[in-house]
Amino acid sequence: LAAVLGHLACQRNLPVQFTTANRLFAHLAGGHADRSCPTRLRKLANAALPIVDDVALRPFTDAQADDLYEMATARTRRSTSIGSD
């Protein structure tokens, strides 16, 4: 479903940011390390449609759960697709 939503958005020339949960959390962990996490979250939150796939494949750490929450709440009143196979 997430891939279909992304494909439809691309057909409408909307920028889509697709990533897996594992890649997202690794990217944001790097941001915590170099203190660029707010910038990284803002960039993801500003995409027309961020898609995070494979979210429920393994349990979250507390930091990962916080990162996912921050990303979702930064997108107030805008769509975000979070999926799991």
Side-chain angles (χ1 to χ4, degrees):
L1 180 60
V4 170
L5 291 173
H7 183 74
L8 290 172
C10 287
Q11 286 179 334
R12 290 169 176 76
N13 295 320
L14 296 172
V16 174
Q17 179 82 28
F18 179 89
T19 190
T20 63
N22 190 43
R23 287 184 190 148
L24 172 69
F25 295 138
H27 180 66
L28 294 177
H32 289 296
D34 69 7
R35 298 184 180 179
S36 67
C37 194
T39 302
R40 293 178 188 208
L41 277 169
R42 193 169 33 257
K43 183 177 178 183
L44 184 62
N46 286 334
L49 179 63
I51 298 173
V52 182
D53 203 7
D54 298 336
V55 171
L57 294 182
R58 49 185 110 151
F60 297 145
T61 65
D62 289 344
Q64 290 170 334
D66 288 343
D67 286 342
L68 189 60
Y69 173 80
E70 289 299 324
M71 187 204 73
T73 57
R75 296 192 49 78
T76 308
R77 292 182 289 247
R78 295 185 351 207
S79 296
T80 303
S81 178
I82 301 174
S84 176
D85 289 338

